[in-house]
Amino acid sequence: MKSAKSVVVLTGAGISAESGVPTFRGNEGLWKKFKPEELANFDAFIKNPELVWEWYKYRKQIIAGIQPNPGHYAIVELEKMYEKFAVVTQNVDNLHRRAGSKNVYELHGNIQRNYCIECGKEYPDEIIFSKAEVPRCDACAGLIRPGVVWFGEMLPADQWNASEEAASSADVFFSVGTSAVVYPAASLPYIAKRNGALVVEVNPETTPLTDIADEFLMGKSGEILPELVNALK
Ligand code: OAD
């Protein structure tokens, strides 16, 4: 790691677990209580925008009330150590930017964004929370939706292309707090490995990636990443 020039950190819900954001899978996972197909896809939204908005307002409120944790801050420290560095996140919680990370690619959007499905006009959260009913666009009366990527939707092309390029040229690639099962994000460590990167996984549990990872650091990211930064310093 000391001689690496280019480092990429892929993160998932686990990096935010110690901030109090529930993960999707695992024992405390959200998908145990809600079916993703009922909530996180466009057809479900059109059929039942009230339910989908109720769910996203609930998640927005959780995220607004929490803070980045030592895992996020350790990634900020890592960024300062390398010439080329990228955080590729599947999270929509904005905690990497709030912690101070600069080069962040958001593969699944950002929950603080909201936009009209008809004309694309953007709306801040205050407008969403000021309405008890389903929010509609003041320009064209279209439905306003959360700015996250749903199942069956394409990832934002610019974010994906930049992430793929970063993974291809990484010397060290970290996979942190992700169950590594949702594609295409889950393909990034394989792309990195094929191009010669050292692949390091940080997770309290094994995942489908563990077998091909060069190093598996078992534990919480909020504990392991600060230790790693200290060791590098
Ligand atoms: P998951 O909920 O699938 O996985 C969370 C991972 O974090 C698990 O492997 C846990 O073992 C691990 N974990 C839990 N606590 C941790 C801690 N303190 N430190 C480190 N790791 C910890 O979340 P993702 O892999 O992010 O997509 O899920 C990927 C995508 O699936 C999400 O972005 C979301 C969901 O469907 C969309 O909504 C499009």
Side-chain angles (χ1 to χ4, degrees):
M1 276 210 71
K2 282 199 165 149
S3 61
K5 297 268 180 293
S6 171
V7 174
V8 173
V9 183
L10 169 69
T11 64
I15 184 103
S16 298
E18 288 155 86
S19 293
V21 185
T23 57
F24 295 97
R25 299 173 186 81
N27 290 335
E28 297 300 313
L30 289 167
W31 293 145
K32 288 247 162 101
K33 295 174 205 150
F34 300 96
K35 287 197 189 128
E37 62 271 19
E38 277 170 18
L39 297 168
N41 78 70
F42 188 76
D43 290 345
F45 178 64
I46 296 299
K47 264 193 218 131
N48 196 345
E50 290 81 8
L51 176 69
V52 175
W53 264 118
E54 196 185 326
W55 154 250
Y56 276 97
K57 280 185 175 175
Y58 162 72
R59 293 200 61 211
K60 277 174 189 281
Q61 274 165 336
I62 294 180
I63 287 166
I66 53 143
Q67 301 301 325
N69 69 58
H72 295 104
Y73 290 116
I75 293 173
V76 177
E77 290 304 306
L78 281 179
E79 183 164 18
K80 294 178 191 159
M81 295 179 191
Y82 292 99
E83 280 174 37
K84 215 175 149 203
F85 188 91
V87 183
V88 178
T89 190
Q90 300 164 84
N91 300 342
V92 296
D93 57 27
N94 208 30
L95 288 181
H96 286 298
R97 286 222 173 79
R98 281 179 56 200
S101 285
K102 299 272 183 294
N103 197 29
V104 183
Y105 303 129
E106 291 173 323
L107 293 181
H108 293 165
N110 188 314
I111 201 166
Q112 291 176 342
R113 271 191 71 217
N114 312 282
Y115 66 92
C116 169
I117 62 169
E118 302 294 343
C119 71
K121 185 173 173 188
E122 301 247 355
Y123 288 87
D125 273 352
E126 297 82 74
I127 300 286
I128 305 298
F129 281 103
S130 70
K131 297 176 199 297
E133 69 279 17
V134 169
R136 284 195 173 267
C137 180
D138 58 18
C140 74
L143 281 169
I144 300 172
R145 64 167 280 177
V148 301
V149 175
W150 281 329
F151 286 98
E153 293 184 326
M154 299 287 287
L155 303 191
D158 56 339
Q159 304 295 295
W160 172 252
N161 292 340
S163 303
E164 205 179 17
E165 193 285 317
S168 313
S169 58
D171 300 319
V172 181
F173 185 100
F174 282 89
S175 177
V176 180
T178 172
S179 54
V181 294
V182 175
Y183 281 78
S187 66
L188 291 170
Y190 296 90
I191 294 172
K193 178 127 182 144
R194 231 179 8 249
N195 286 281
L198 180 89
V199 173
V200 185
E201 183 175 38
V202 179
N203 201 308
E205 292 171 26
T206 58
T207 73
L209 180 67
T210 311
D211 277 347
I212 73 116
D214 297 292
E215 301 286 345
F216 176 56
L217 306 178
M218 189 174 213
K220 295 180 173 180
S221 47
E223 293 169 5
I224 288 183
L225 293 179
E227 271 182 50
L228 181 79
V229 167
N230 283 340
L232 281 169
K233 278 181 174 169

